[in-house]
Amino acid sequence: IHDANGLPRTILTEPNGSSAEVLLYGGQVVSWKNERKEELLFMSSKAIWKPPKAIRGGIPVCFPQFGNLGSLEQHGFARNRMWSFDGDTSSLPPANNQSSVDLILKSTEEDLKTWPRSFELRLRISLSAGKLTLIPRVRNTDNKPFSFTFALRNYLSVSDISEVRVEGLETLDYLDNLERRKRFTEQADAVTFDGKIDRVYLTTPTKIAIIDHEKKRTFVLRKESMPDAVVWNPWDKKAKALPDLGDVDYKTMLCVDSAAIETPIVLKPFEEWKGYQELSTVSSSYCSGQ
Ligand code: TA6
């Protein structure tokens, strides 16, 4: 454990030379570098690395509420809490402790005041060559059912947002946060970017490709048990309005999140939900549909 801006963090490494940094604060990945030490995730130049502020970049965990669709603070409170290392990883295959870390956040007396449900939120973060895998699990440790919405907010680093296209969302319905969450259908054969965008694409395919021509890099997002995908870029005006986002940072970021939003996840007492997300990068030879 070292500390980044005073926050305890774990560094994951793997033999091919890629690395990742994970904070106990928020259970948040804050860096993922490939074997050429290129940073693959976006981190705001004005991120505030100070609890209780959420750090704007990497992969914040949005739980038990995505967005402001409920009574809690925006995106819930998991990203503003100090997590701990999870000793009880019996129900997952054993992991190499160089390239993998298991974290847990349990409901506290404090949390019970704002969200009166007791839960255990676990997150396994594993690194392998060209791939970063996150496995979130939520167990209801209460004696009554509860429901939640969830997202892994993937801040991806891109060369120039106007050169990026996203494939895999064509023909899908989406809820447009910029239009009071009205429902639309995606008409284009790929999503491209020329202005602010804030959409929840519903029931997407398992695989979504984010193609960055200039960097000759394609991110592939594969997800399970998180049927929706949020696509967000604040663009210039909103970027200026966000104190923890640099004015031109919007040009080099894109959020494509694994999410369970349209249909909240319902857990009976002692039931556990398990999600899966794999982010991988493919070189320029990647052609869509392969
Ligand atoms: O994409 C959903 C959204 O709520 C946007 O409307 C925008 O507010 C973004 O998330 C950022 O939220 P945050 O709380 O991280 O500033």
Side-chain angles (χ1 to χ4, degrees), residues 53-56 60 62 66-68 74-75 79 153 155 177-178 197-200 230-234 238 242 244 255 257:
K53 179 76 189 151
I55 296 171
R56 189 176 300 287
C62 302
F66 178 79
N68 46 18
Q74 173 141 296
H75 294 321
R79 64 181 186 167
R153 166 135 284 184
Y155 277 92
N177 285 334
L178 304 177
I197 184 171
D198 191 359
R199 299 173 179 173
V200 180
V230 186
V231 177
W232 176 58
N233 187 295
K238 171 92 175 184
L242 288 170
D244 61 341
C255 286
D257 315 335

